[in-house]
């Protein structure tokens, strides 16, 4: 690939490439940096690798670089629990202890088979195969019991569903 061809692509499609990156990162300066970095990589790579469709390669590289940028920045951002706007049932905020009590009570009320399987898989993190071996039942029985447990919990906790998901993540 001749350098004038790459230079021509850069000049002719620069704005389109930047718009592509901007559609992912939502910051024009960052989008321009990503496009320029991709072209630098293409110029240094051309000596070692033959690129058949340079335009498609650049589009894909810009997309991937933009996604990598997002991934890196998301890992760096901290999430403040208090800034989340979570709708509470009946408009009354609940304490963590109360939420845990409601969830624990619902799990305690599950049928014994569902409860055992749910505790092993969902709470203790066992795989279905491991839970099946531990309880001496088939994997299909574990799957069935998990479906049944989730169905019962969804029904019992329908007013608290989003809150419980939030607290389970923490």
């Amino acid at each position: 690939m001749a350098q004038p061809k790459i230079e021509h692509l850069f000049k002719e499609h620069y704005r389109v490439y930047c718009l592509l990156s901007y559609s992912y990162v939502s910051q024009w300066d960052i989008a321009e940096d990503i496009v320029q970095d991709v072209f630098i990589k293409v110029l240094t790579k051309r000596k070692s690798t033959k690129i058949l469709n340079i335009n498609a390669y650049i589009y894909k590289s810009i997309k991937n670089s933009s996604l990598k940028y997002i991934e890196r920045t998301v890992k760096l951002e901290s999430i403040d629990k208090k800034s989340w706007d979570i709708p509470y049932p009946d408009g009354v905020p609940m304490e963590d202890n109360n939420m845990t009590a409601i969830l624990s009570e619902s799990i305690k009320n599950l049928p014994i088979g569902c409860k055992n399987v749910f505790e092993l898989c969902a709470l203790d993190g066992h795989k279905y195969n491991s839970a099946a071996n531990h309880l001496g039942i088939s994997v299909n029985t574990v799957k069935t019991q998990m479906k049944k447990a989730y169905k019962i919990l969804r029904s019992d906790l329908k007013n608290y569903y989003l809150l419980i998901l939030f607290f389970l993540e923490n």
Side-chain angles (χ1 to χ4, degrees):
M1 171 75 34
Q3 189 169 349
K5 170 110 169 138
I6 294 174
E7 186 178 334
H8 174 73
L9 275 174
F10 182 81
K11 288 179 180 177
E12 187 174 318
H13 299 288
Y14 179 75
R15 183 156 175 79
V16 174
Y17 294 145
C18 288
L19 286 172
L20 172 65
S21 181
Y22 180 80
S23 71
Y24 290 100
V25 299
S26 301
Q27 295 179 28
W28 189 256
D29 294 341
I30 302 297
E32 286 182 323
D33 290 344
I34 289 171
V35 170
Q36 291 168 8
D37 288 344
V38 166
F39 271 91
I40 289 170
K41 287 177 187 173
V42 168
L43 287 171
T44 57
K45 184 175 236 175
R46 73 178 180 89
K47 296 173 185 166
S48 62
T49 308
K50 183 176 181 181
I51 302 170
L52 299 176
N53 186 344
I54 188 70
N55 199 30
Y57 180 84
I58 290 172
Y59 267 96
K60 192 71 164 179
S61 296
I62 291 171
K63 176 186 172 189
N64 290 340
S65 295
S66 299
L67 291 173
K68 283 181 187 174
Y69 172 81
I70 292 169
E71 185 178 316
R72 281 191 313 268
T73 55
V74 167
K75 286 181 183 175
L76 298 176
E77 291 176 8
S78 64
I79 298 174
D80 181 17
K81 277 194 216 180
K82 296 185 185 345
S83 68
W84 286 27
D85 185 22
I86 300 174
Y88 295 103
D90 304 325
V92 179
M94 301 180 73
E95 296 294 322
D96 288 0
N97 297 350
N98 195 14
M99 202 66 238
T100 304
I102 291 170
L103 181 58
S104 295
E105 187 65 28
S106 292
I107 292 171
K108 190 172 91 176
N109 291 334
L110 288 172
I112 193 72
C114 285
K115 179 182 170 192
N116 291 339
V117 170
F118 184 81
E119 286 176 343
L120 277 175
C121 294
L123 301 180
D124 296 339
H126 286 264
K127 302 280 186 203
Y128 286 0
N129 288 336
S130 172
N133 290 337
H134 182 74
L135 295 172
I137 57 178
S138 74
V139 175
N140 284 335
T141 303
V142 171
K143 290 177 184 177
T144 302
Q145 292 298 326
M146 284 298 289
K147 284 181 188 177
K148 187 176 178 182
Y150 279 124
K151 184 177 180 181
I152 292 169
L153 289 173
R154 268 193 302 271
S155 175
D156 287 352
L157 304 168
K158 64 184 168 198
N159 292 332
Y160 306 102
Y161 192 64
L162 289 175
L163 291 173
I164 288 173
L165 286 177
F166 173 73
F167 288 112
L168 282 177
E169 289 294 318
N170 296 324

